[in-house]
Amino acid sequence: QVRLVESGGGLVQPGGSLRLSCESSASIFGLYTMGWYRQAPGQAPGKEREYLAHITPGGDINYADSVKGRFAISRDAAKNMVYLQMNPLKAEDTAVYYCNANKWDAIYWGQGTQVTVSS
């Protein structure tokens, strides 16, 4: 069992920045692709969370078009941490942000951290 805990969310003004952190309870980066997703407020029940970015065990990185050039994913294997640097933030980035770990036979989610972008 892998436990993921996100932190770093909060209230920020448009144009500002935040860095989200995701701590894993185990050293999994060599096996799992680590990703970030979000779910906007008022989203219809059952609608999938929006994919944002991922980093593979080999270090390959990919971003959704909606955040490319603004968000950056990184990891620190020594600390079992994955990060999402977000800058500049827009009002439409308001959502609950989730960390995800997945491989062919297992998937884990964190509990989420709220990001609110508002003036």
Side-chain angles (χ1 to χ4, degrees):
Q1 187 74 11
V2 175
R3 184 165 176 254
L4 303 174
V5 179
E6 301 96 336
S7 61
L11 173 64
V12 63
Q13 292 186 344
S17 62
L18 280 175
R19 188 178 79 156
L20 304 183
S21 300
C22 171
E23 183 174 10
S24 170
S25 61
S27 299
I28 60 172
F29 298 162
L31 293 173
Y32 285 78
T33 290
M34 302 301 298
W36 285 96
Y37 293 71
R38 68 187 178 190
Q39 191 151 29
Q43 205 165 353
K47 187 175 179 181
E48 289 186 359
R49 292 168 180 171
E50 178 188 5
Y51 163 81
L52 299 177
H54 76 257
I55 181 167
T56 69
D60 294 327
I61 289 174
N62 190 68
Y63 297 99
D65 288 342
S66 59
V67 303
K68 196 173 295 182
R70 297 192 301 123
F71 291 8
I73 188 171
S74 61
R75 67 187 179 192
D76 185 334
K79 297 180 180 179
N80 292 336
M81 297 289 287
V82 178
Y83 305 100
L84 187 69
Q85 180 69 45
M86 307 186 294
N87 177 51
L89 283 160
K90 306 176 182 179
E92 53 263 42
D93 294 320
T94 295
V96 179
Y97 284 69
Y98 297 90
C99 179
N100 162 283
N102 81 88
K103 62 183 179 76
W104 71 275
D105 61 348
I107 185 167
Y108 299 99
W109 292 93
Q111 84 290 347
T113 185
Q114 175 71 46
V115 172
T116 302
V117 185
S118 176
S119 55

